[in-house]
Amino acid sequence: MKSQALHGHLDALLLSVLEGGALHGYAIIEALKSRSGGTLNLPTGTIYPALRRLERAGYVESEWSTVNGRERRTYRLTAPGHRALAGERASWQELSSTVGRFLGTEPPPAAAT
Amino acid sequence: MKSQALHGHLDALLLSVLEGGALHGYAIIEALKSRSGGTLNLPTGTIYPALRRLERAGYVESEWSTVNGRERRTYRLTAPGHRALAGERASWQELSSTVGRFLGTEPPPAAAT
DNA sequence: CCCACATCGGTAGCCTTACTACCTATGAAG
DNA sequence: CTTCATAGGTAGTAAGGCTACCGATGTGGG
């Protein structure tokens, strides 16, 4: 898939991955890859700047942990990050239902639940 | 909604609107607005450049029609445009199911329909 | 008549964002 | 010692949409 399409939603993906617990950058990349079934194979040059962006925004915090003599920067979701994730979820749903209406992928809105 | 999120899918939306028949730019904007329930209120500065991009790509053709003394440039989907739309639909579905998996909006793939 | 407004098309420059292509460093395996 | 996987990072580029403009015409109100 042309990953460029992620535009604007990478942050949401990162936040959602961190929702399941703190991870370091490399592990985040692998989590994205495995949870997407290999579809999201994002390069480090995409992830690290994004993480720093999120940190600047206050949505994640990071700290260095020395594991196996390796410096790992572990990222953790903050409270604002949780809220941001909720907002991202909402706007993703809005986007996907809106675009879906045009591209014919509209998931049945009520449908049981 | 923050329209920036459309990134990369604007083209698909435009193509899908034109799928229902040729329209001029202004009418396209209104079609997007009405079919989205007002969510997609895109400015001309977004639409016109996008239409020209699509035309450059060969996905739409345009011609001037003088209506009420007003020059209207009417856009029409081409055959490649139809194919492109099909591809856009496919990649949208891939994106939405992938991102949905993370943001919890994953629509049940089989689920009756 | 004149001005304001809706219709209609368009362009220039900016900003965000992701990508490619690099670089650095360490521990383990050969 | 060299190579590879792990791990983190930066610089520069390209794409895409947005804001803010500009120009023109037809219509209706004052």
Side-chain angles (χ1 to χ4, degrees):
Chain A
M1 94 186 264
K2 55 174 190 185
S3 19
Q4 217 127 15
L6 286 178
H7 229 101
H9 303 107
L10 212 211
D11 294 7
L13 293 181
L14 294 179
L15 293 175
S16 83
V17 166
L18 289 177
E19 202 181 19
L23 292 173
H24 61 279
Y26 202 85
I28 290 173
I29 293 172
E30 301 203 313
L32 285 168
K33 184 158 40 177
S34 74
R35 275 179 60 179
S36 69
T39 311
L40 291 175
N41 199 354
L42 305 175
T44 64
T46 292
I47 300 303
Y48 292 121
L51 287 171
R52 311 191 115 242
R53 195 163 55 227
L54 290 174
E55 188 166 27
R56 231 179 294 130
Y59 296 156
V60 301
E61 287 171 340
S62 68
E63 58 182 343
W64 286 102
S65 345
T66 307
V67 181
N68 300 331
R70 304 296 304 274
E71 295 295 300
R72 295 174 168 190
R73 177 170 261 175
T74 303
Y75 291 88
R76 203 173 43 253
L77 214 51
T78 63
H82 277 286
R83 286 193 290 275
L85 175 55
E88 293 283 349
R89 265 194 231 278
S91 57
W92 163 256
Q93 285 177 35
E94 185 176 14
L95 173 73
S96 79
S97 85
T98 301
V99 176
R101 194 173 312 166
F102 287 88
L103 299 194
T105 52
E106 187 178 19
T113 313
Chain B
M1 93 185 265
K2 56 174 189 186
S3 20
Q4 219 126 16
L6 286 177
H7 230 99
H9 305 293
L10 212 211
D11 294 7
L13 293 182
L14 295 178
L15 293 175
S16 82
V17 165
L18 288 177
E19 203 180 18
L23 292 173
H24 61 279
Y26 202 84
I28 291 174
I29 293 172
E30 301 203 314
L32 286 168
K33 184 158 40 177
S34 73
R35 275 178 61 179
S36 69
T39 309
L40 291 175
N41 198 354
L42 304 175
T44 65
T46 293
I47 301 302
Y48 292 121
L51 286 172
R52 313 192 113 242
R53 195 163 55 227
L54 290 174
E55 188 167 29
R56 234 178 294 131
Y59 297 154
V60 301
E61 287 171 339
S62 68
E63 59 182 343
W64 287 103
S65 344
T66 307
V67 181
N68 300 331
R70 304 295 305 272
E71 294 294 300
R72 294 174 169 191
R73 176 170 261 176
T74 303
Y75 291 88
R76 205 175 39 255
L77 214 53
T78 63
H82 277 285
R83 286 193 290 276
L85 175 55
E88 293 283 348
R89 266 193 232 277
S91 56
W92 164 255
Q93 286 178 33
E94 185 177 14
L95 174 73
S96 78
S97 85
T98 301
V99 176
R101 194 173 312 166
F102 287 88
L103 299 195
T105 52
E106 186 178 18
T113 311

